Amino acid sequence: MAANTDSLVRSPLLWGPNRLPVPYAAAWSAETAAVRGALTIRPDGTGLAYREETPRDRDRHGVLWARLIEAPGEGRPNYRALHSYRQRHVMFHRLCQVCGGPASRTAEGWLFLVQPPPPAERLANWSEGALSTKPPVCEPCATLALRYCPHLKDPVFVRSRKPRVWGAFGGFFTPADGGRRLVPAPDDGYLPYGHPSANWFLASQLVIELTRCTLTR
């Protein structure tokens, strides 16, 4: 049986006069995008690149990731947004999105707070195969999130024994003016790894698929 890791929980950052907890993976107002002027087209014209690209800019699947300044604790927290690097880090390593420590794991799997579909669209096994950009949590931080997060609307606790890296969330770009500039798509969306158009995609969130799920409450 897998051990429950909640005893290793760390304290999240606190903000404001009321000392509200801020999730480790949340973005702050000082953490602005660092893409403008850096994003370009590969010399062979086959996709996106950064003018001075580093190995950290791409994941193991070769997908390019949006750059954000890293300044946690500076400015105001944006509870609706997740920092691209910290989100990917905690998701990939199964860490708690709130405190950054190990996420809760029991014999039933890792713990996720999931927003269920509307009742009219909710099948009996709706959580199985669900896609999520929200990393797991530890139990103490799940309680904190329910108490303080204004954006959670009747979430469901789901444990997944085998959360699988599925792809990324972000936006596509199209070359224009003979390849002299890039035009972003009007809306962001999901990209499964292995997609033929992945070279023209700029990722901002890692997406996992929840499998072998158990609804806990």
Side-chain angles (χ1 to χ4, degrees), residues 39 48 169-176 181-190 197 200-202:
L39 195 63
L48 303 176
F169 181 83
F172 281 100
F173 285 77
T174 303
R181 65 187 182 95
L182 290 163
V183 178
D187 299 305
D188 288 345
Y190 292 85
S197 299
W200 297 101
F201 190 81
L202 187 66

mmCIF file of all heavy atoms in Angstrom, residues 39 48 169-176 181-190 197 200-202:
data_model
loop_
_atom_site.group_PDB
_atom_site.id
_atom_site.type_symbol
_atom_site.label_atom_id
_atom_site.label_comp_id
_atom_site.label_asym_id
_atom_site.label_seq_id
_atom_site.Cartn_x
_atom_site.Cartn_y
_atom_site.Cartn_z
ATOM 1 N N LEU A 39 10.008 35.345 -29.436
ATOM 2 C CA LEU A 39 9.428 34.255 -30.219
ATOM 3 C C LEU A 39 9.638 34.499 -31.714
ATOM 4 O O LEU A 39 9.443 35.610 -32.213
ATOM 5 C CB LEU A 39 7.932 34.147 -29.921
ATOM 6 C CG LEU A 39 7.216 32.868 -30.359
ATOM 7 C CD1 LEU A 39 7.785 31.667 -29.623
ATOM 8 C CD2 LEU A 39 5.716 32.999 -30.075
ATOM 9 N N LEU A 48 7.792 26.988 -34.292
ATOM 10 C CA LEU A 48 8.163 28.081 -33.397
ATOM 11 C C LEU A 48 9.529 27.835 -32.759
ATOM 12 O O LEU A 48 9.977 26.698 -32.621
ATOM 13 C CB LEU A 48 7.125 28.220 -32.273
ATOM 14 C CG LEU A 48 5.666 28.456 -32.658
ATOM 15 C CD1 LEU A 48 4.816 28.468 -31.388
ATOM 16 C CD2 LEU A 48 5.511 29.745 -33.426
ATOM 17 N N PHE A 169 -1.779 22.622 -22.639
ATOM 18 C CA PHE A 169 -2.769 23.655 -22.926
ATOM 19 C C PHE A 169 -2.010 24.908 -23.338
ATOM 20 O O PHE A 169 -0.978 25.247 -22.755
ATOM 21 C CB PHE A 169 -3.621 23.942 -21.691
ATOM 22 C CG PHE A 169 -4.679 24.983 -21.904
ATOM 23 C CD1 PHE A 169 -5.892 24.646 -22.476
ATOM 24 C CD2 PHE A 169 -4.456 26.303 -21.537
ATOM 25 C CE1 PHE A 169 -6.875 25.612 -22.675
ATOM 26 C CE2 PHE A 169 -5.426 27.267 -21.733
ATOM 27 C CZ PHE A 169 -6.644 26.918 -22.309
ATOM 28 N N GLY A 170 -2.499 25.589 -24.343
ATOM 29 C CA GLY A 170 -1.820 26.792 -24.820
ATOM 30 C C GLY A 170 -2.439 27.275 -26.104
ATOM 31 O O GLY A 170 -3.660 27.145 -26.299
ATOM 32 N N GLY A 171 -1.617 27.837 -26.998
ATOM 33 C CA GLY A 171 -2.164 28.410 -28.229
ATOM 34 C C GLY A 171 -1.299 28.135 -29.446
ATOM 35 O O GLY A 171 -0.075 27.981 -29.351
ATOM 36 N N PHE A 172 -1.970 28.079 -30.594
ATOM 37 C CA PHE A 172 -1.288 27.888 -31.865
ATOM 38 C C PHE A 172 -0.900 29.241 -32.464
ATOM 39 O O PHE A 172 -1.541 30.270 -32.206
ATOM 40 C CB PHE A 172 -2.191 27.147 -32.858
ATOM 41 C CG PHE A 172 -2.263 25.669 -32.632
ATOM 42 C CD1 PHE A 172 -3.345 25.108 -31.965
ATOM 43 C CD2 PHE A 172 -1.261 24.837 -33.093
ATOM 44 C CE1 PHE A 172 -3.421 23.742 -31.762
ATOM 45 C CE2 PHE A 172 -1.320 23.472 -32.895
ATOM 46 C CZ PHE A 172 -2.407 22.921 -32.227
ATOM 47 N N PHE A 173 0.134 29.221 -33.260
ATOM 48 C CA PHE A 173 0.564 30.384 -34.030
ATOM 49 C C PHE A 173 0.648 30.005 -35.501
ATOM 50 O O PHE A 173 0.956 28.862 -35.844
ATOM 51 C CB PHE A 173 1.934 30.881 -33.556
ATOM 52 C CG PHE A 173 1.902 31.622 -32.254
ATOM 53 C CD1 PHE A 173 1.785 30.930 -31.056
ATOM 54 C CD2 PHE A 173 1.981 33.006 -32.229
ATOM 55 C CE1 PHE A 173 1.757 31.611 -29.847
ATOM 56 C CE2 PHE A 173 1.952 33.694 -31.031
ATOM 57 C CZ PHE A 173 1.836 32.998 -29.839
ATOM 58 N N THR A 174 0.362 30.988 -36.363
ATOM 59 C CA THR A 174 0.426 30.781 -37.804
ATOM 60 C C THR A 174 1.409 31.780 -38.407
ATOM 61 O O THR A 174 1.347 32.974 -38.097
ATOM 62 C CB THR A 174 -0.960 30.985 -38.447
ATOM 63 O OG1 THR A 174 -1.899 30.089 -37.830
ATOM 64 C CG2 THR A 174 -0.901 30.720 -39.941
ATOM 65 N N PRO A 175 2.329 31.328 -39.264
ATOM 66 C CA PRO A 175 3.248 32.270 -39.908
ATOM 67 C C PRO A 175 2.505 33.125 -40.938
ATOM 68 O O PRO A 175 1.582 32.662 -41.604
ATOM 69 C CB PRO A 175 4.279 31.360 -40.583
ATOM 70 C CG PRO A 175 3.566 30.063 -40.780
ATOM 71 C CD PRO A 175 2.599 29.932 -39.632
ATOM 72 N N ALA A 176 2.868 34.393 -41.018
ATOM 73 C CA ALA A 176 2.232 35.319 -41.964
ATOM 74 C C ALA A 176 3.299 36.187 -42.619
ATOM 75 O O ALA A 176 4.454 36.228 -42.180
ATOM 76 C CB ALA A 176 1.204 36.195 -41.234
ATOM 77 N N ARG A 181 6.309 37.205 -39.634
ATOM 78 C CA ARG A 181 5.675 37.411 -38.333
ATOM 79 C C ARG A 181 4.762 36.247 -38.003
ATOM 80 O O ARG A 181 4.432 35.437 -38.878
ATOM 81 C CB ARG A 181 4.879 38.722 -38.316
ATOM 82 C CG ARG A 181 3.688 38.772 -39.243
ATOM 83 C CD ARG A 181 3.077 40.160 -39.271
ATOM 84 N NE ARG A 181 1.896 40.211 -40.125
ATOM 85 C CZ ARG A 181 0.645 40.067 -39.674
ATOM 86 N NH1 ARG A 181 0.428 39.859 -38.377
ATOM 87 N NH2 ARG A 181 -0.382 40.133 -40.510
ATOM 88 N N LEU A 182 4.380 36.176 -36.733
ATOM 89 C CA LEU A 182 3.535 35.102 -36.234
ATOM 90 C C LEU A 182 2.196 35.663 -35.782
ATOM 91 O O LEU A 182 2.147 36.684 -35.104
ATOM 92 C CB LEU A 182 4.216 34.389 -35.065
ATOM 93 C CG LEU A 182 5.446 33.545 -35.421
ATOM 94 C CD1 LEU A 182 6.256 33.237 -34.181
ATOM 95 C CD2 LEU A 182 5.018 32.259 -36.111
ATOM 96 N N VAL A 183 1.125 34.983 -36.149
ATOM 97 C CA VAL A 183 -0.219 35.406 -35.769
ATOM 98 C C VAL A 183 -0.794 34.371 -34.798
ATOM 99 O O VAL A 183 -0.911 33.192 -35.135
ATOM 100 C CB VAL A 183 -1.131 35.527 -37.004
ATOM 101 C CG1 VAL A 183 -2.545 35.921 -36.575
ATOM 102 C CG2 VAL A 183 -0.569 36.535 -37.989
ATOM 103 N N PRO A 184 -1.139 34.782 -33.560
ATOM 104 C CA PRO A 184 -1.703 33.823 -32.601
ATOM 105 C C PRO A 184 -3.145 33.479 -32.930
ATOM 106 O O PRO A 184 -3.902 34.301 -33.458
ATOM 107 C CB PRO A 184 -1.597 34.564 -31.268
ATOM 108 C CG PRO A 184 -1.657 36.012 -31.647
ATOM 109 C CD PRO A 184 -0.966 36.126 -32.979
ATOM 110 N N ALA A 185 -3.537 32.264 -32.605
ATOM 111 C CA ALA A 185 -4.934 31.854 -32.750
ATOM 112 C C ALA A 185 -5.785 32.646 -31.764
ATOM 113 O O ALA A 185 -5.304 33.056 -30.695
ATOM 114 C CB ALA A 185 -5.071 30.364 -32.496
ATOM 115 N N PRO A 186 -7.055 32.890 -32.080
ATOM 116 C CA PRO A 186 -7.895 33.704 -31.190
ATOM 117 C C PRO A 186 -8.164 33.059 -29.838
ATOM 118 O O PRO A 186 -8.414 33.763 -28.850
ATOM 119 C CB PRO A 186 -9.194 33.878 -31.989
ATOM 120 C CG PRO A 186 -9.200 32.744 -32.973
ATOM 121 C CD PRO A 186 -7.765 32.494 -33.314
ATOM 122 N N ASP A 187 -8.135 31.749 -29.777
ATOM 123 C CA ASP A 187 -8.454 31.059 -28.527
ATOM 124 C C ASP A 187 -7.404 30.000 -28.218
ATOM 125 O O ASP A 187 -6.843 29.372 -29.121
ATOM 126 C CB ASP A 187 -9.833 30.393 -28.600
ATOM 127 C CG ASP A 187 -10.950 31.388 -28.823
ATOM 128 O OD1 ASP A 187 -11.056 32.336 -28.028
ATOM 129 O OD2 ASP A 187 -11.707 31.209 -29.798
ATOM 130 N N ASP A 188 -7.157 29.803 -26.916
ATOM 131 C CA ASP A 188 -6.277 28.724 -26.483
ATOM 132 C C ASP A 188 -7.033 27.399 -26.491
ATOM 133 O O ASP A 188 -8.269 27.369 -26.517
ATOM 134 C CB ASP A 188 -5.738 29.006 -25.080
ATOM 135 C CG ASP A 188 -4.707 30.120 -25.071
ATOM 136 O OD1 ASP A 188 -4.205 30.472 -26.156
ATOM 137 O OD2 ASP A 188 -4.402 30.633 -23.983
ATOM 138 N N GLY A 189 -6.281 26.310 -26.429
ATOM 139 C CA GLY A 189 -6.914 24.999 -26.430
ATOM 140 C C GLY A 189 -5.942 23.913 -26.001
ATOM 141 O O GLY A 189 -4.811 24.181 -25.581
ATOM 142 N N TYR A 190 -6.399 22.675 -26.102
ATOM 143 C CA TYR A 190 -5.625 21.517 -25.676
ATOM 144 C C TYR A 190 -4.905 20.887 -26.863
ATOM 145 O O TYR A 190 -5.442 20.822 -27.972
ATOM 146 C CB TYR A 190 -6.543 20.480 -25.036
ATOM 147 C CG TYR A 190 -7.135 20.922 -23.717
ATOM 148 C CD1 TYR A 190 -8.299 21.690 -23.677
ATOM 149 C CD2 TYR A 190 -6.534 20.565 -22.521
ATOM 150 C CE1 TYR A 190 -8.842 22.094 -22.460
ATOM 151 C CE2 TYR A 190 -7.069 20.949 -21.304
ATOM 152 C CZ TYR A 190 -8.224 21.718 -21.284
ATOM 153 O OH TYR A 190 -8.752 22.118 -20.086
ATOM 154 N N SER A 197 0.668 19.141 -35.523
ATOM 155 C CA SER A 197 0.885 20.589 -35.558
ATOM 156 C C SER A 197 1.580 21.113 -34.303
ATOM 157 O O SER A 197 1.588 22.318 -34.043
ATOM 158 C CB SER A 197 -0.451 21.320 -35.743
ATOM 159 O OG SER A 197 -1.071 20.942 -36.965
ATOM 160 N N TRP A 200 3.898 24.301 -33.975
ATOM 161 C CA TRP A 200 3.371 25.662 -34.030
ATOM 162 C C TRP A 200 2.567 26.003 -32.776
ATOM 163 O O TRP A 200 1.766 26.930 -32.764
ATOM 164 C CB TRP A 200 2.500 25.850 -35.270
ATOM 165 C CG TRP A 200 3.281 25.684 -36.536
ATOM 166 C CD1 TRP A 200 3.330 24.592 -37.349
ATOM 167 C CD2 TRP A 200 4.167 26.650 -37.112
ATOM 168 N NE1 TRP A 200 4.177 24.809 -38.404
ATOM 169 C CE2 TRP A 200 4.706 26.065 -38.284
ATOM 170 C CE3 TRP A 200 4.553 27.949 -36.752
ATOM 171 C CZ2 TRP A 200 5.619 26.741 -39.094
ATOM 172 C CZ3 TRP A 200 5.454 28.619 -37.556
ATOM 173 C CH2 TRP A 200 5.977 28.021 -38.715
ATOM 174 N N PHE A 201 2.801 25.265 -31.705
ATOM 175 C CA PHE A 201 2.038 25.404 -30.461
ATOM 176 C C PHE A 201 2.941 25.928 -29.360
ATOM 177 O O PHE A 201 4.070 25.465 -29.192
ATOM 178 C CB PHE A 201 1.470 24.040 -30.062
ATOM 179 C CG PHE A 201 0.475 24.070 -28.939
ATOM 180 C CD1 PHE A 201 -0.843 24.400 -29.167
ATOM 181 C CD2 PHE A 201 0.864 23.741 -27.643
ATOM 182 C CE1 PHE A 201 -1.772 24.404 -28.130
ATOM 183 C CE2 PHE A 201 -0.043 23.743 -26.609
ATOM 184 C CZ PHE A 201 -1.375 24.078 -26.856
ATOM 185 N N LEU A 202 2.437 26.910 -28.605
ATOM 186 C CA LEU A 202 3.149 27.450 -27.448
ATOM 187 C C LEU A 202 2.383 27.038 -26.199
ATOM 188 O O LEU A 202 1.259 27.488 -25.962
ATOM 189 C CB LEU A 202 3.258 28.969 -27.530
ATOM 190 C CG LEU A 202 4.133 29.631 -26.454
ATOM 191 C CD1 LEU A 202 5.589 29.226 -26.611
ATOM 192 C CD2 LEU A 202 3.994 31.153 -26.519
#
